[in-house]
Amino acid sequence: MPDVPFIEIRHAAKSFGALEVLKDINLTVDRGQIVAIIGPSGSGKSTLLRAINELDPLTSGEVWLEGVQINKKLPHRQYEKHVNQVRQDIGMVFQHFNLFPHLTVRGNITLAPKMLKGLTTEEADRLAEEQLAKVGLSEKIDEFPSRLSGGQKQRVAIARALAMKPKVMLFDEATSALDPELVEEVNLVMKQLAEEHMTMIIVTHEMDFAASVCDRVLFMDQGVVVEEGPPGVIFQTPAHERTRNFLRKHLARAAGQA
Amino acid sequence: MGLDFTVVPDYFGVLMLGGAWTIAITIGAGLLSFFIGILFAVIALYGHWSVRLPVRLFAWLFMGTPLLLQLFLIYFGLIQIGIDLPAFVAGVIGLGLHFAVYNSELIQASILAVDKGQYEGARTLGLSRGQTLRRVVIPQAVRAVVPPMGNNMIALLKDSALVSVIGVMEITLAAQQAISRTYRPFEFYLAAAACYYVVNLALEAGLRRLERRIAASR
Ligand SMILES: Nc1ncnc2c1ncn2[C@@H]1O[C@H](COP(=O)(O)OP(=O)(O)OP(=O)(O)O)[C@@H](O)[C@H]1O
Ligand SMILES: [Mg+2]
């Protein structure tokens, strides 16, 4: 299907009660593209990301992945089946990892492939070993998450998502909960994915990281995409006052922390 | 008549056998109360009203009436409608259902306390609601509930004495038999107390071990 966009979001709107969190958002992402979403707290970045895999369904608008509408209106049972199916193609990484504490690293990674793709234990184990090698944590395969550092947890969470062989990876502030010295190891894994041309949508507060790995940057504020463009443009010569303000404040805060 | 503990060793075997029945009842009813407790908790939280309502009624009945009465009802009452259960089975069912209701309350609270991120993490991978519940939420809820449920199990052990009234030869009834032959209530009730104490110690040690074993996976 060469003519349909890889990911397309059309007229996305979302309200929580009276609060309009997303207002007519339109976005296309090509296969292999890496898009960063930046913006102030409460601007709707997470909500947009979570709309893509139906964790927070849109109030109106459409989300498409390779010509399949993700947020199709269907009768309840069919909808559940459909959503469970499409979510297998969409990996998501959360700020707080959300590893399953009662399962070992191996168990975390193999649970979904075994249950949903019918892999045998041996196949799933091999898959877990492969994915762990990729994030540099082979030796932790039999540990429980409680024994890992934050950075290691997040790398396992990435391996767990990758084990489903997703078409796209969504990252919601994957490094925000980490101690500063652990951020880099997670960034390295993400950079490696970028080199492998994984399609990624990355919500982040790390402007340097966004500038170095992303093809496009979206700046969101109050539920709208204020402007978007290549990182060079958004970070060096943003067109909008709101973007300049945000970046200035952000730089000041980052400098204050350093 | 002074105290004379020298008669106790003559009934050592009877008391030991009683101890074995007490342990069997406690384990049987404990397991039943655990699994039915999970079932009741899931129904109470997620069930269709047509199953939720009967379970609620049942829970209310079992919490609001004496355990002794429930045992009578299951053992003597059911005979009338053609269900003639052996005393041991009736005891396990009565105690098991009674404590299932208490365990269900604990497990419900514990299911609700599982972090929302766990649910999202599983759903994001493509697991269905039911799969998420079975493989992610309930295993964590059960681990979290081990310490308070352990207290329920200790209460169950002590309440197992009640099944003596329907004729299960557990510790209390064994002691009573010895008393009826020797007329030495003080000695044998004390001996029975010692038996309960030993079983209790073993149960507590087992629970502590279990808690240690699951500590890393929480
Ligand atoms: N489940 C919810 N119910 C009600 N309001 C919500 C809910 N989730 C988010 N919101 C609100 O929607 C707005 C956008 O939230 P969102 O989490 O998308 O922002 P964000 O850009 O990701 O912010 P941050 O940088 O702090 O993560 C906020 O005002 C938030 O309070
Ligand atoms: Mg957010």
Side-chain angles (χ1 to χ4, degrees), chain A residues 191-239:
Chain A
K191 276 184 185 156
Q192 189 187 317
L193 283 177
E195 280 156 22
E196 296 167 11
H197 306 291
M198 171 64 82
T199 310
M200 300 198 264
I201 305 179
I202 303 170
V203 171
T204 184
H205 285 294
E206 283 185 87
M207 303 307 151
D208 292 339
F209 179 74
S212 67
V213 302
C214 296
D215 305 307
R216 280 161 69 198
V217 178
L218 260 69
F219 171 66
M220 279 181 72
D221 194 13
Q222 299 182 353
V224 297
V225 176
V226 176
E227 68 178 293
E228 66 161 302
V233 174
I234 299 292
F235 292 128
Q236 309 306 326
T237 56

Side-chain angles (χ1 to χ4, degrees), chain A residues 4 41 43 68 74 109 127 143 180:
Chain A
V4 297
S41 183
S43 55
V68 175
L74 290 169
I109 298 174
L127 180 66
E143 293 285 6

Side-chain angles (χ1 to χ4, degrees), chain B residues 63-85:
Chain B
M63 281 181 118
T65 61
L67 174 56
L68 188 63
L69 193 79
Q70 295 160 20
L71 289 171
F72 283 155
L73 190 71
I74 292 171
Y75 187 55
F76 299 114
L78 288 184
I79 293 178
Q80 244 176 296
I81 55 168
I83 305 173
D84 188 358
L85 298 170

Side-chain angles (χ1 to χ4, degrees), chain B residues 30 43 59 99 104 108 148 151 188 218:
Chain B
I43 290 174
F99 280 90
S104 160
Q108 280 177 52
N151 292 337
F188 278 102
R218 289 193 55 190

